[in-house]
Amino acid sequence: MSIRCVALVWLLGALTPSLAWADNPLIVEAALDREVAAPLLDAFEEAYPRIQLTFRDHSTLEVDARVADADDPPDVVISSAMPWQMSRVNEGYAQRLDSTAAREWPEWAKWRDEVFGFTFEPIVMAYRLDLSRHMMPPKTHADMHTLLTQHRETLRDKVATYSPSRSGVGYSLFQQDARYTTRFWDLVAAMGAADTNLEANTRAMLEGLSEGRYWLGYNLLGSYAMVWAQSHPEVIVQVPQDYSLVMMRMAFIHRDAPHPAAARAFLDFLLGREGQRVIAGETPLFSVRSDVEGPYTAQRLRDQVGERLYPIPLNASLLAFVDPSRRTAFMERWQREFHRLSHPAPDQSAAATESPIRPDALAAVRRPGYGVVLPTNDSPDDME
């Protein structure tokens, strides 16, 4: 064989991976803000320039509905509504990922090598910086209940949280709260009595905080809140000190993925060292892998919060939360408790007698440039 033929064979072999991806589409249906995920998506497109990525960002319930769309199935499904993702996988909508990255992924962050939790995101509270002029900002769930009870009129219509009927992740978080404190329903009643606003997503809560319509937000996604606080210094993000839930974005390849090879490449990138390195260093989504470094890693979060960090388990127990009868019972009780203490607002002049707390009375430790308050070593309050 001539040298020219050998060179041609070598060149074709080297180009084979690139040619394999030529003009290959990839459709990702995700409940993940593109602004937050941009560094990760950009890194994937750089690694796979021949794959034409279409990233559709929708709400958790919209993403769940699109999974069952037989006429237009996506390649990859990503959502923070963990019970809904697990339910779809259990119904057979996912296909197994047989790769080194999948086999080496931690057992606690995957199920049957079909669905994978690739982020580790804390659930937080957020408040306006000037809240301290009126009251001590909350550090724990117990503090939240106390503020809503003792400063009800001051906070009336100025608190926001998820709507459990309009948000899959919001419903999931409230279900988890109910597991960890016996006074959860008292908190729901206190929120209702203060005319708390029920929003469909974290962005709406953050916008309300920045605009001054809201003073306090409960159960926000920490990843979104931390990004927001970087450019909105009036918003402070508080990781609760008594316990902090952790949610994982779950990703799977759709069983009817029209572009399965591209889907496998995308999921392998999310689980691989390079994708996780980008998550740890360039996004606030917090990486799962222990062999990457950066400001946003699961291990670093564990070091900061310790035993008070409560990751939502990624296993079959999630299926119970989307059981129709259980969901109906939970929503009926939510409605009952949310309106239990409701009554016409009394004379607002009563709020004016509340003594403001000096800002210098706060013992918070702010992370420079991020407006994030992390737990200290003080003994946490308990709602019980």
Side-chain angles (χ1 to χ4, degrees):
M1 184 180 292
S2 68
I3 294 177
R4 180 178 296 178
C5 290
V6 171
L8 181 60
V9 170
W10 178 87
L11 180 61
L12 288 174
L15 289 176
T16 297
S18 296
L19 291 173
W21 299 117
D23 301 321
N24 195 7
L26 171 65
I27 302 170
V28 177
E29 200 74 52
L32 174 59
D33 192 282
R34 189 181 183 100
E35 179 183 356
V36 173
L40 183 62
L41 301 179
D42 291 345
F44 173 78
E45 291 179 321
E46 183 177 348
Y48 293 89
R50 299 288 184 175
I51 295 181
Q52 305 300 315
L53 172 62
T54 298
F55 187 84
R56 302 172 178 170
D57 177 22
H58 297 287
S59 72
T60 52
L61 296 183
E62 288 173 331
V63 168
D64 181 67
R66 289 169 185 262
V67 172
D69 185 355
D71 296 328
D72 185 25
D75 292 304
V76 175
V77 182
I78 297 174
S79 178
S80 53
M82 296 176 65
W84 272 261
Q85 287 287 83
M86 183 64 74
S87 178
R88 289 305 190 184
V89 173
N90 189 57
E91 292 170 359
Y93 279 99
Q95 58 176 273
R96 182 183 177 87
L97 177 62
D98 186 14
S99 69
T100 300
R103 288 189 293 272
E104 294 179 351
W105 199 245
E107 291 294 330
W108 57 267
K110 66 179 179 180
W111 194 52
R112 301 191 309 202
D113 283 343
E114 294 181 7
V115 63
F116 304 86
F118 68 97
T119 68
F120 196 79
E121 303 171 52
I123 304 305
V124 303
M125 303 176 196
Y127 57 87
R128 285 186 61 85
L129 180 62
D130 54 8
L131 179 69
S132 59
R133 298 177 183 175
H134 306 275
M135 63 199 71
M136 180 75 78
K139 297 180 181 179
T140 68
H141 295 79
D143 291 345
M144 187 76 178
H145 178 259
T146 299
L147 292 185
L148 289 169
T149 303
Q150 296 183 357
H151 301 273
R152 179 179 300 168
E153 299 314 319
T154 303
L155 291 174
R156 187 175 295 281
D157 198 34
K158 297 185 182 300
V159 181
T161 191
Y162 273 111
S163 163
S165 63
R166 297 165 58 204
S167 167
V169 66
Y171 169 82
S172 304
L173 296 177
F174 289 134
Q175 282 273 17
Q176 294 296 322
D177 276 336
R179 295 179 60 193
Y180 291 117
T181 174
T182 57
R183 297 200 61 192
F184 168 70
W185 292 114
D186 290 336
L187 177 59
V188 173
M191 287 193 290
D195 293 338
T196 293
N197 296 272
L198 303 180
E199 296 286 7
N201 53 64
T202 290
R203 176 176 289 275
M205 294 185 242
L206 292 169
E207 289 175 349
L209 286 167
S210 287
E211 294 168 3
R213 291 183 289 109
Y214 302 149
W215 290 5
L216 187 56
Y218 177 77
N219 267 8
L220 291 79
L221 298 186
S223 53
Y224 294 171
M226 290 175 187
V227 167
W228 188 271
Q230 291 180 32
S231 57
H232 296 82
E234 71 280 358
V235 175
I236 306 298
V237 179
Q238 171 72 60
V239 179
Q241 292 190 1
D242 49 353
Y243 72 86
S244 178
L245 295 174
V246 175
M247 170 275 293
M248 287 183 279
R249 306 266 172 178
M250 293 167 62
F252 66 84
I253 301 173
H254 199 285
R255 71 180 181 199
D256 301 320
H259 316 103
R264 288 191 291 270
F266 185 75
L267 225 61
D268 274 341
F269 183 81
L270 293 184
L271 307 181
R273 196 171 190 279
E274 178 58 21
Q276 289 285 299
R277 183 196 64 76
V278 174
I279 289 175
E282 301 180 45
T283 79
L285 296 171
F286 290 87
S287 68
V288 172
R289 289 181 65 125
S290 59
D291 60 347
V292 297
E293 296 182 355
Y296 301 107
T297 67
Q299 187 55 54
R300 182 163 185 171
L301 190 61
R302 288 190 180 101
D303 292 341
Q304 293 169 334
V305 182
E307 297 179 357
R308 293 166 287 190
L309 202 63
Y310 293 177
I312 300 174
L314 198 164
N315 55 41
S317 68
L318 290 170
L319 297 173
F321 297 112
V322 287
D323 174 76
S325 59
R326 178 167 180 166
R327 177 171 168 76
T328 297
F330 184 88
M331 290 305 302
E332 287 178 349
R333 183 166 185 187
W334 170 277
Q335 292 296 332
R336 232 176 20 248
E337 299 290 347
F338 193 78
H339 296 99
R340 172 158 57 99
L341 302 178
S342 297
H343 55 78
D347 186 354
Q348 292 294 317
S349 63
T353 64
E354 296 174 349
S355 300
I357 296 177
R358 302 189 316 275
D360 59 4
L362 302 181
V365 179
R366 291 186 60 181
R367 184 176 176 186
Y370 284 81
V372 178
V373 182
L374 296 168
T376 65
N377 292 322
D378 299 333
S379 299
D381 295 329
D382 198 294
M383 289 193 70
E384 296 181 356

